[in-house]
Amino acid sequence: MAQERKITVQRTIDAPAKDVFEMLTNPERHAELDGSGFVRSDEKSDRIQAVGDVFMMNMTGEHMGGEYQTDNHVTAFDPNKMVGWKTAPAGTEPPGWEWLWELEPQGPDSTLVTHTYDWSGVTDQALLDKVGFPLVTQDQLEDTLGRLAAAVSG
């Protein structure tokens, strides 16, 4: 049986979908949301506004030998419903992993947030072996949802 190559977590957050979406589409806030500890800061990126946008993040991690930057190519954008991006080392094309956020209103002040980390598009076996996917754990993704909940309700 093939191993699942994605992790999905969900949480209902006490905030309207538009507030959650506003937070997720602002790269300046991503370091505060990141439960993995890899995201350090945004590199003067504009708000995500459409599929095709690219935003740069300053990162850190032993898997990359310390400090590095990523280009994040927006692959999904539906206002107040969905945003997603594929991450790549700065200046390169995305090798196939994607982060997707889906928002489903549960009333005027509550949103079911589904966050998926999907590396099924990574086909380079050497990269799969080097990185050791999943690089981010389910617990770290759940921590990200907790940080998002705190940020939008705070």
Side-chain angles (χ1 to χ4, degrees):
M1 180 172 142
Q3 182 184 359
E4 185 73 41
R5 292 180 55 187
K6 68 180 176 181
I7 300 170
T8 300
V9 294
Q10 286 187 317
R11 180 177 178 147
T12 299
I13 293 178
D14 295 329
K18 72 174 184 52
D19 293 356
V20 176
F21 189 78
E22 192 166 298
M23 178 78 60
L24 294 172
T25 57
N26 181 358
E28 287 182 16
R29 303 293 299 269
H30 287 191
E32 149 189 9
L33 306 178
D34 174 40
S36 73
F38 295 137
V39 179
R40 288 288 171 240
S41 63
D42 128 88
E43 186 60 33
K44 301 178 196 73
S45 298
D46 294 326
R47 180 174 293 281
I48 299 166
Q49 297 183 38
V51 169
D53 285 358
V54 177
F55 62 97
M56 182 178 273
M57 301 302 287
N58 298 309
M59 311 286 288
T60 190
E62 292 310 309
H63 62 285
M64 293 291 284
E67 303 292 316
Y68 64 102
Q69 289 183 316
T70 60
D71 289 336
N72 298 278
H73 299 254
V74 178
T75 55
F77 187 89
D78 188 356
N80 305 327
K81 293 181 182 160
M82 181 186 311
V83 64
W85 52 86
K86 288 185 175 177
T87 301
T92 68
E93 286 303 306
W97 63 90
E98 183 172 29
W99 306 93
L100 183 66
W101 298 86
E102 297 169 279
L103 312 178
E104 192 178 319
Q106 304 293 296
D109 297 313
S110 183
T111 306
L112 176 63
V113 179
T114 302
H115 183 31
T116 301
Y117 166 42
D118 183 346
W119 64 98
S120 63
V122 178
T123 56
D124 180 339
Q125 190 58 49
L127 179 65
L128 286 166
D129 294 343
K130 177 185 179 214
V131 172
F133 287 94
L135 194 57
V136 178
T137 66
Q138 181 166 339
D139 286 348
Q140 290 170 324
L141 291 171
E142 288 172 354
D143 185 44
T144 297
L145 287 178
R147 291 164 175 254
L148 175 63
V152 295
S153 64

